Amino acid sequence: MLNRFVMIMVGLDGVGKTTLLSTMYHELSRIDNPAGFEVAASEDTHRDLHDAYKKLSTILAQPTFTPTWPLLKGTAGIVERQFEILFKGKKELELVLCDIAGGLVRAKEGNPDFDELKNKLEEAIVIMNVIDGSVLVEGDELLSIQKNDPAQIYKLLLPILRQGKNYLILFVITKCEAWLKNEKTRKQLETAFETQYEMILKLIEGLDNVVGVLIPVKTMGCVEFTRIDSKGEEKEVIFVRKPNLRFKPVDIEQPQRYALAFALVQHNQHRSQWNKFMRWFWNEDVAFQKALTEFAEGRSRSFKIYGNLSLIEVTES
Ligand SMILES: Nc1nc2c(ncn2[C@@H]2O[C@H](COP(=O)(O)OP(=O)(O)O)[C@@H](O)[C@H]2O)c(=O)[nH]1
Ligand SMILES: [Mg+2]
């Protein structure tokens, strides 16, 4: 039975992985939960993510925004954040969420860090590629390689996805507040993504064990892209704090909803015969399926999906 579920975040330094993690955790622990699922963090995970969130709130209480990162000290190597998924107060499965140091994405074969990353990618069932949206839309080729490096992500994913195990890939776009204002700019963001990630999307579409979802989020909601400054060779992306807007995350719990629904479906499909029988006998399977369907219905339908859609369908059967 699959009772430990591994999810991993990939993306270079500064794209917003840790910020995403801490705001996501904060939103998730606030979700009122008629479906009966709960996400509980281990003590360390709770402390770290809670601290990061407090730090972020303090930064955003200032009238001007100074990008301070890393948000949490010591995202060196791979940090495992531990959670438990409870159903009606009882532990259903463990969730391990791996936050990585961005540099790992570029580690070379033969390097022990690279092997560790590869092992985690193989173990995972959900891979979250965090992408800097400002660079995606406004950056030139060099900046795109520096900050998002889609070609490197492709190289990393290719051997993993081809192994045939089921995978959910979430493309989570951060720093895209400026393009989520209307349909036209949303489309601009989507087109930039589809152009620069074409190789990865083609790969996903050619495999029936993989599904991808494009999820642009607002982790802060009040800090917006303004321009790119050049200091000689170096380019700097400039953001400003919008004085009229509040710190207000949007869609931040969506990646987790997609991830958890996917994990719970896999978990439910891989129960042992004995466990299935007991659950049927006690009428637990019906309640679980109903709750899962309800939980999955909280997923927003507005996101673009690539590859085998049936992998994320939740049906009451
Ligand atoms: N405007 C904006 N800035 C963000 C967003 N997410 C992260 N940042 C900023 O990007 C920087 C790097 O974030 P961090 O989470 O430490 O990146 P990591 O290296 O990928 O873990 C910080 O200054 C954050 O405040 C976002 O969605 N919008
Ligand atoms: Mg980090």
Side-chain angles (χ1 to χ4, degrees), residues 172-190:
V172 180
I173 306 195
T174 58
K175 312 192 191 184
C176 57
E177 292 90 351
W179 295 277
L180 296 181
K181 291 179 177 166
N182 60 53
E183 268 319 298
K184 199 174 143 225
T185 49
R186 257 180 190 275
K187 192 75 201 159
Q188 196 188 350
L189 185 68
E190 187 184 299

Side-chain angles (χ1 to χ4, degrees), residues 242 245 301:
K242 291 277 162 175
L245 296 177
R301 299 274 156 181

Side-chain angles (χ1 to χ4, degrees), residues 138-143 146-147 228-238:
E138 296 287 338
D140 57 10
E141 211 180 317
L142 202 66
L143 205 57
Q146 251 173 33
K147 305 270 181 176
I228 295 179
D229 277 355
S230 301
K231 282 190 257 161
E233 293 281 277
E234 280 292 297
K235 291 219 161 68
E236 197 186 349
V237 186
I238 310 291

Side-chain angles (χ1 to χ4, degrees), residues 252-301:
I252 204 75
E253 84 297 350
Q254 287 293 329
Q256 279 299 42
R257 262 194 200 270
Y258 272 86
L260 280 182
F262 183 75
L264 288 166
V265 168
Q266 305 275 317
H267 169 65
N268 215 19
Q269 279 169 359
H270 291 91
R271 290 184 196 277
S272 66
Q273 287 304 322
W274 174 249
N275 186 271
K276 274 186 189 150
F277 172 74
M278 290 305 282
R279 293 173 64 80
W280 169 80
F281 187 80
W282 294 108
N283 213 8
E284 283 174 343
D285 50 348
V286 178
F288 185 87
Q289 195 61 42
K290 192 163 170 286
L292 178 53
T293 311
E294 203 179 308
F295 179 77
E297 270 163 11
R299 294 177 299 182
S300 160
R301 299 274 156 181

Side-chain angles (χ1 to χ4, degrees), residues 129 131 136 150-151 153-155 157-158 161 168-173 189-208 210-215 303-308:
N129 179 199
I131 299 169
L136 193 65
I153 303 290
Y154 173 80
K155 253 171 72 185
L157 294 183
L158 181 67
L161 301 186
L168 167 67
I169 316 273
L170 299 172
F171 299 97
V172 180
I173 306 195
L189 185 68
E190 187 184 299
T191 308
F193 167 74
E194 288 181 352
T195 311
Q196 291 170 48
Y197 286 72
E198 195 187 351
M199 285 232 291
I200 302 180
L201 297 178
K202 278 211 172 115
L203 172 68
I204 293 178
E205 269 156 6
L207 295 166
D208 62 9
V210 189
V211 60
V213 188
L214 175 64
I215 309 184
F303 304 126
K304 192 100 183 256
I305 310 223
Y306 308 90
N308 188 351

